[in-house]
Amino acid sequence: MAPTMGPRVRRTAQNTQYTYNLTRRIHAVETYPVLSPQGATILIYGHENGITIVWRGGRQFKPDVVKEAEHGPKGKQNGKPPVDAMIIVDSDDEDEAPAGKAGSFVDEPQFEESLSEDSPYPEITQTLDLEFGTAVFNLATLPITPCLAEDALWGGTEILKEKIVFAASCATREVFLITLPLVPPSPLSKARPELQESLLAGKAGNGKWGETMTLLTGQQKYSDGLAVALIRSKVSERSKSSERSRSESKAPPRVVVAAHSREASGTLRLWDVPLEDAAKAGRPIEPFQTEFLPRPLISISFNPTNSTQLLCNASPNAVRVYDYAIASMPPDDLSEGPFPSQGSWLMSLYPPFTRPTATRKPILAASWIAHGRAILVLLADGQWGVWDIDGVSPQGPALFGKPGSGIRGDALTEFNVSGYVEGTSPLRNPASTRASGGGTEFVPMTPHSRREAINASSYGPGRLASVKGGIVVTPLPSSATTTSDESVTLWIGGAEHVFVIPGVLKFWDAQIRKGAGGGVNLFSGAQPTRMVRLGDLSVGLMGERCTRVGAIVRFAENGSASPAGNEGLPVEVLVCGESRLVIVRESETVVGTRIGGVMDRRKRLGERARESSAIIVHPRPEQPGSVAYNLSVGPRKKPSRGNVTDLFSVPADENTTQTEEAQPPPMRLPSRPRSGFAFADSLNAAADVEQRQDEEDERDVEVEMLDIMEIDRELETMDTGRGRGRKKVIFDS
């Protein structure tokens, strides 16, 4: 994706889709929660050769900087005076200076003073490719609330204001913790001659872009999933000295990276990396905990509030919560750091069974909601449910504090609220129970029995095991008028079933009121929310299958940390294809987040938006209910052509003879391609010709009326002869 390449814009009846065609196969994509200092959204995606970072939106580079980079730097950096170059040339210690430091490049990007108002959509500001030499399968970012760069302060962590911190796993089983500057590199930085001299000069880890990579060792197979969390070390009773305890109380924040793989029967490993050391290239780090599992995991995610709790999706058995800070056995001498050598499994939550079998429904995805106080799960048959762990719901106390709830006798964990995703009823259709052969084992192969066999093999546990899906929870920034909430984007099967929940807490409350039969009060009750379905996504994917989804918070146009008002959904949905990224923005006139939130006004686009060459997709026009055709085999009378032609012929008059000088100039028809509806050229030209007054005086209206009456008589004669042998056939559309 080049920074100057614009997307393909497609406007449908419900949304606007921006399609970016890439040259590589996409394996993973993540949205970084912190905006860059110039207001751009940062997208990170892994592909077959490494990682690409995309800065989308925000203030653009100055035009003179871009032009200078295209023609090559001439002793200047981003238009500023070459002060450093002069010091190097005139220095008395020039011969003694190291060769590497003499030609060091200091990137000082310059941006426009304000956002561009002419662009109808956020443009790509810059891209950066980090070459790994192998495919990157998984990415993980910090689970923090999206915010501006100056507000990225977690427990006094100043590095988040300047650096991007994320983890990546490769096909060669390596796991890296990577840091990168938040500010996009300038065009002059990418046009440096030293990067053009060697193909390996820009490889990840060389530090040409200010990046650092910390290798996390111990993996024997490539990872199937990653998770990253920020923690602050606390005073530990296992410390063997008081000095160590006092140092841990003032220890800087640390990054805990978790990865699961299919090694053995399933393995979970955790690494502890000091955040300050992660910004410096250091030695490889060994895992501080290794947990061997009875079967491989599907996904993992850290609790955004309690960062020591890890949510593990062990489909189809259960969803389990692991805490690496709580020892599973009495303290021993095996622990060398602030954490024990073995963590504890806190709880297991069991999904329902697939009727009428004894197999549990596969769990497609599980994620923390309500800021880590509840769990949202999506099952393979389209059912979704919420497990209330800490009593977030107003219906009652926590999950295990209510009588008759929790784990029941049939090993099921009751949902606080549940439902089914729209359009997934075929996944729940059981196999046909009708007997085909009256209890005999041999059934003749007929079209009917073949259809029954296909249905029996298409539905059931085998079919549900192949269904794909996912959940993405995006915290929404709070403002002075709104409380902090979360938006959920989920998908199941493909691009036909992508849904967005604008506000989880409001949606949760509305579902409880709906189940209780009390309805929703439009004025004093909860705001009515629903699960919004995104349509026509296949238009943007252009035939590719949906592999995963993401979400981008729509910040205000002025760059503030509050969402972009009540116009449409609070997030933009990122749909990932095999080699395409589609960003979907729901139309402002379709969905509102307020009571009666259908917004009638539309934003006025600039002149560039009006001249946009977008492909506008219109819905198919409605077909008539029935069409009548005349299939009569009887003889038909032909109309009198002479009378018909007399109607359109100009009446001859001897007194209206004109000379060639008095005749008007010949009519000039516009030049158009002679294909298709070529006769429209003469019709349009004839409609534009003004009729002169003398021609109106020459017309004989009585003769024209007589010709029309004669045509009417001929039509009546034809109708009387068409009644015999007429058959009416109706074709339903």
Side-chain angles (χ1 to χ4, degrees):
M1 183 189 301
T4 57
M5 184 190 70
R8 283 189 171 185
V9 184
R10 289 169 172 81
R11 295 185 178 93
T12 65
Q14 295 182 357
N15 50 52
T16 304
Q17 303 176 15
Y18 306 95
T19 303
Y20 296 89
N21 296 321
L22 310 180
T23 58
R24 299 182 176 98
R25 184 181 181 88
I26 307 172
H27 297 297
V29 61
E30 291 288 340
T31 302
Y32 195 70
V34 182
L35 297 182
S36 65
Q38 81 346 311
T41 301
I42 301 176
L43 302 177
I44 309 172
Y45 68 90
H47 47 78
E48 56 191 11
N49 195 35
I51 296 174
T52 299
I53 297 93
V54 180
W55 284 265
R56 177 176 178 265
R59 293 180 288 120
Q60 303 293 316
F61 289 105
K62 291 185 176 181
D64 54 349
V65 177
V66 178
K67 293 180 180 179
E68 184 179 357
E70 294 177 355
H71 298 288
K74 299 179 181 180
K76 295 174 61 179
Q77 296 182 13
N78 294 345
K80 289 191 174 184
V83 179
D84 297 339
M86 294 296 296
I87 293 176
I88 292 175
V89 172
D90 297 339
S91 176
D92 297 334
D93 301 334
E94 180 181 359
D95 298 336
E96 301 178 1
K101 295 183 179 179
S104 60
F105 181 85
V106 180
D107 191 14
E108 298 178 357
Q110 294 182 351
F111 302 96
E112 297 287 348
E113 298 297 333
S114 60
L115 297 175
S116 176
E117 298 180 357
D118 297 334
S119 178
Y121 53 84
E123 296 182 352
I124 301 298
T125 303
Q126 187 61 281
T127 61
L128 178 62
D129 291 331
L130 297 179
E131 297 182 3
F132 281 62
T134 183
V136 174
F137 287 157
N138 297 282
L139 297 170
T141 57
L142 300 174
I144 59 178
T145 303
C147 60
L148 304 179
E150 56 268 18
D151 299 333
L153 187 63
W154 184 88
T157 309
E158 298 290 339
I159 191 176
L160 297 181
K161 296 183 178 181
E162 302 175 355
K163 296 286 186 177
I164 304 173
V165 181
F166 66 98
S169 65
C170 304
T172 54
R173 75 176 184 273
E174 288 92 355
V175 179
F176 295 97
L177 182 65
I178 305 172
T179 63
L180 192 72
L182 274 174
V183 182
S186 65
L188 284 177
S189 178
K190 299 184 67 174
R192 283 177 287 176
E194 58 188 66
L195 299 177
Q196 303 176 2
E197 294 175 357
S198 174
L199 296 176
L200 301 178
K203 188 176 181 180
N206 292 342
K208 298 296 182 180
W209 314 107
E211 81 281 1
T212 61
M213 298 177 60
T214 303
L215 176 62
L216 309 180
T217 61
Q219 292 274 104
Q220 300 298 326
K221 289 186 177 181
Y222 64 88
S223 301
D224 292 334
L226 291 176
V228 181
L230 280 173
I231 62 169
R232 181 175 292 279
S233 300
K234 299 180 181 179
V235 178
S236 176
E237 298 179 357
R238 297 184 303 273
S239 301
K240 300 179 181 180
S241 63
S242 58
E243 296 180 357
R244 184 177 179 181
S245 300
R246 287 192 297 269
S247 62
E248 288 178 358
S249 62
K250 299 181 180 180
R254 313 169 74 88
V255 178
V256 173
V257 181
H260 66 92
S261 64
R262 297 180 180 271
E263 180 182 344
S265 60
T267 307
L268 175 65
R269 287 185 173 87
L270 295 98
W271 294 268
D272 179 21
V273 184
L275 191 56
E276 300 297 335
D277 296 344
K280 304 176 183 179
R283 58 181 179 82
I285 297 179
E286 296 289 337
F288 69 90
Q289 281 186 13
T290 300
E291 187 77 16
F292 293 98
L293 309 172
R295 63 179 303 156
L297 300 177
I298 302 300
S299 63
I300 56 176
S301 60
F302 279 105
N303 192 320
T305 302
N306 191 350
S307 56
T308 62
Q309 295 180 359
L310 184 67
L311 183 66
C312 302
N313 180 8
S315 175
N317 294 339
V319 173
R320 296 186 171 92
V321 179
Y322 180 78
D323 197 323
Y324 60 84
I326 301 178
S328 59
M329 59 185 66
D332 51 14
D333 295 337
L334 296 178
S335 174
E336 298 180 356
F339 305 109
S341 59
Q342 202 74 19
S344 300
W345 294 97
L346 300 183
M347 67 177 67
S348 297
L349 308 173
Y350 299 97
F353 291 91
T354 303
R355 297 179 181 179
T357 65
T359 306
R360 294 187 185 273
K361 298 180 181 180
I363 305 172
L364 298 181
S367 182
W368 297 100
I369 61 172
H371 305 285
R373 302 174 61 189
I375 298 175
L376 173 66
V377 294
L378 177 63
L379 305 181
D381 66 338
Q383 183 182 7
W384 58 267
V386 177
W387 284 314
D388 190 1
I389 306 299
D390 291 342
V392 181
S393 170
Q395 192 177 17
L399 176 63
F400 298 100
K402 297 185 296 182
S405 63
I407 300 178
R408 298 182 295 182
D410 50 355
L412 295 179
T413 307
E414 182 182 3
F415 290 124
N416 181 269
V417 62
S418 64
Y420 289 94
V421 177
E422 178 186 356
T424 58
S425 58
L427 297 175
R428 299 184 297 274
N429 187 16
S432 178
T433 57
R434 292 177 296 179
S436 301
T440 60
E441 296 181 359
F442 176 75
V443 179
M445 183 56 67
T446 63
H448 177 74
S449 61
R450 186 182 295 109
R451 190 182 308 112
E452 296 291 337
I454 294 175
N455 292 337
S457 62
S458 299
Y459 300 100
R463 165 123 178 135
L464 296 181
S466 61
V467 178
K468 303 296 182 181
I471 296 177
V472 177
V473 179
T474 306
L476 300 178
S478 60
S479 60
T481 57
T482 60
T483 58
S484 179
D485 203 347
E486 295 169 333
S487 176
V488 174
T489 306
L490 56 90
W491 69 283
I492 177 173
E496 297 81 10
H497 302 92
V498 179
F499 298 84
V500 177
I501 302 177
V504 173
L505 297 181
K506 300 184 183 71
F507 175 78
W508 191 348
D509 194 8
Q511 292 296 319
I512 292 177
R513 291 172 178 267
K514 179 181 178 181
V520 178
N521 192 342
L522 295 179
F523 300 98
S524 61
Q527 295 184 3
T529 57
R530 60 188 178 91
M531 190 179 293
V532 181
R533 183 174 185 175
L534 303 183
D536 300 330
L537 296 184
S538 58
V539 176
L541 290 174
M542 294 186 291
E544 291 189 354
R545 63 184 181 92
C546 174
T547 58
R548 64 190 69 239
V549 298
I552 304 173
V553 175
R554 294 180 56 185
F555 287 90
E557 300 297 335
N558 55 3
S560 63
S562 60
N566 292 307
E567 300 174 355
L569 297 177
V571 296
E572 292 178 320
V573 180
L574 178 63
V575 181
C576 179
E578 296 176 349
S579 62
R580 292 185 177 95
L581 289 177
V582 182
I583 298 178
V584 184
R585 172 172 293 190
E586 193 73 11
S587 300
E588 289 80 0
T589 57
V590 176
V591 179
T593 56
R594 276 185 170 179
I595 298 179
V598 179
M599 310 299 291
D600 293 332
R601 67 183 185 87
R602 293 179 179 268
K603 293 183 179 180
R604 295 184 178 180
L605 303 179
E607 296 295 335
R608 182 174 179 180
R610 297 189 182 95
E611 298 176 358
S612 175
S613 59
I615 301 176
I616 302 176
V617 182
H618 299 281
R620 178 179 293 181
E622 297 182 358
Q623 300 293 336
S626 61
V627 180
Y629 294 90
N630 183 14
L631 302 181
S632 176
V633 295
R636 300 181 182 180
K637 295 183 178 181
K638 296 183 180 181
S640 176
R641 294 188 176 181
N643 297 333
V644 176
T645 54
D646 292 342
L647 175 63
F648 300 98
S649 60
V650 180
D653 193 350
E654 298 178 356
N655 299 327
T656 58
T657 306
Q658 298 179 354
T659 60
E660 296 182 357
E661 292 79 4
Q663 293 181 353
M667 180 176 56
R668 296 183 179 180
L669 300 179
S671 61
R672 292 187 179 181
R674 309 303 301 174
S675 62
F677 299 95
F679 64 91
D681 299 342
S682 59
L683 295 179
N684 295 334
D688 296 336
V689 176
E690 298 182 358
Q691 189 174 8
R692 297 184 303 174
Q693 185 65 28
D694 53 355
E695 294 181 356
E696 295 181 358
D697 297 340
E698 295 171 357
R699 294 182 57 187
D700 192 347
V701 181
E702 295 181 358
V703 175
E704 295 180 3
M705 293 298 298
L706 291 176
D707 292 337
I708 295 175
M709 295 174 62
E710 187 175 356
I711 292 176
D712 292 338
R713 288 193 298 269
E714 292 291 337
L715 293 177
E716 291 177 359
T717 305
M718 293 170 60
D719 290 337
T720 56
R722 290 171 55 187
R724 298 184 300 272
R726 183 173 183 268
K727 298 180 182 180
K728 183 177 182 182
V729 181
I730 300 177
F731 296 90
D732 294 333
S733 60

